[in-house]
Amino acid sequence: GIQVEQSPPDLILQEGANSTLRCNFSDSVNNLQWFHQNPWGQLINLFYIPSGTKQNGRLSATTVATERYSLLYISSSQTTDSGVYFCAVGGSGNTGKLIFGQGTTLQVKP
Amino acid sequence: DAGVIQSPRHEVTEMGQEVTLRCKPISGHDYLFWYRQTMMRGLELLIYFNNNVPIDDSGMPEDRFSAKMPNASFSTLKIQPSEPRDSAVYFCASSPFQGAGEKLFFGSGTQLSVL
């Protein structure tokens, strides 16, 4: 099956700093989503982005499907951005199955 | 919309007991998923349904686990008998139509502890 690798595993930032999280995947995908799991355990969907670029406020994401990677950009980080960021992918032929990476744990210090 | 609703939020039980987790998906969503999260294995897909029909249960760890979706607004995940290694957070998620690339929405999860 598809392998999903996220980097870095851990990241510590000062409030106001920018960061880039990366997701590599081993095969072509027709579905890629980014999630944020907050410190209370809630999983929030950030982006559906199997290709191209999207922006939502201070967050943006880019997926280069031909090179099998996706990037999540966080600008002007805030303490509320802390938590775990997951990339999840679904391969061609699978209409619903999303495989999650191991996540990047982000801590934003005030 | 109230989002995906799971119950209970926390469940503590003793080894050998039956555990039933419940989920109400977002109204109108065609797909329902059950995931399990542990420190060791991360987020694993257990089973998913399309229009109340189980499509892929290859992630269900063993016969002790079973899932049903009797109607479009309700699903259960049952563990019988439960074991300490089943301790985890179990998430239910729903999506309107994965083929069109719709987003996946998660419930708040059930924290299961088997003693």
Side-chain angles (χ1 to χ4, degrees):
Chain A
I2 294 178
Q3 304 298 312
V4 184
E5 185 176 317
Q6 292 186 243
S7 61
D10 301 282
L11 187 59
I12 300 175
L13 299 174
Q14 285 297 131
E15 201 167 24
N18 303 327
S19 61
T20 301
L21 283 59
R22 187 177 180 104
C23 171
N24 292 332
F25 41 95
S26 61
D27 205 345
S28 59
V29 300
N30 63 1
N31 192 342
L32 188 148
Q33 301 187 34
W34 283 96
F35 295 85
H36 174 221
Q37 187 168 37
N38 64 26
W40 297 271
Q42 181 68 31
L43 281 156
I44 306 298
N45 195 304
L46 299 175
F47 294 103
Y48 165 79
I49 186 165
S51 64
T53 297
K54 289 186 178 179
Q55 181 158 5
N56 184 2
R58 296 181 297 103
L59 303 181
S60 64
T62 295
T63 298
V64 184
T66 54
E67 297 187 22
R68 300 181 183 170
Y69 73 89
S70 183
L71 302 174
L72 178 69
Y73 304 97
I74 305 174
S75 64
S76 303
S77 58
Q78 301 175 358
T79 56
T80 52
D81 295 330
S82 297
V84 183
Y85 289 81
F86 290 101
C87 168
V89 304
S92 58
N94 289 313
T95 58
K97 192 169 185 174
L98 282 181
I99 305 301
F100 279 74
Q102 289 300 307
T104 292
T105 300
L106 174 64
Q107 182 182 359
V108 181
K109 294 187 172 182
Chain B
D1 199 314
V4 178
I5 300 174
Q6 291 188 244
S7 64
R9 286 299 307 275
H10 303 276
E11 176 81 32
V12 180
T13 190
E14 292 188 348
M15 183 174 62
Q17 296 298 306
E18 178 179 294
V19 175
T20 299
L21 311 181
R22 296 172 176 81
C23 175
K24 175 179 170 56
I26 294 172
S27 178
H29 282 194
D30 299 319
Y31 284 81
L32 182 139
F33 305 80
W34 283 100
Y35 281 87
R36 177 172 70 174
Q37 186 176 33
T38 61
M39 288 295 293
M40 291 296 294
R41 299 176 68 88
L43 273 159
E44 306 173 274
L45 177 64
L46 301 178
I47 184 171
Y48 77 94
F49 297 82
N50 178 22
N51 292 323
N52 314 337
V53 176
I55 302 300
D56 184 346
D57 65 355
S58 59
M60 296 286 260
E62 49 197 276
D63 291 346
R64 298 184 297 106
F65 286 69
S66 62
K68 294 182 179 180
M69 192 165 186
N71 58 63
S73 59
F74 183 66
S75 178
T76 60
L77 178 67
K78 186 175 293 186
I79 308 173
Q80 167 63 20
S82 58
E83 296 183 3
R85 60 192 167 121
D86 301 330
S87 297
V89 180
Y90 290 81
F91 287 100
C92 176
S94 71
S95 176
F97 177 45
Q98 277 293 333
E102 295 290 344
K103 288 182 176 180
L104 188 64
F105 294 88
F106 280 85
S108 298
T110 294
Q111 174 78 58
L112 174 65
S113 297
V114 183
L115 307 177

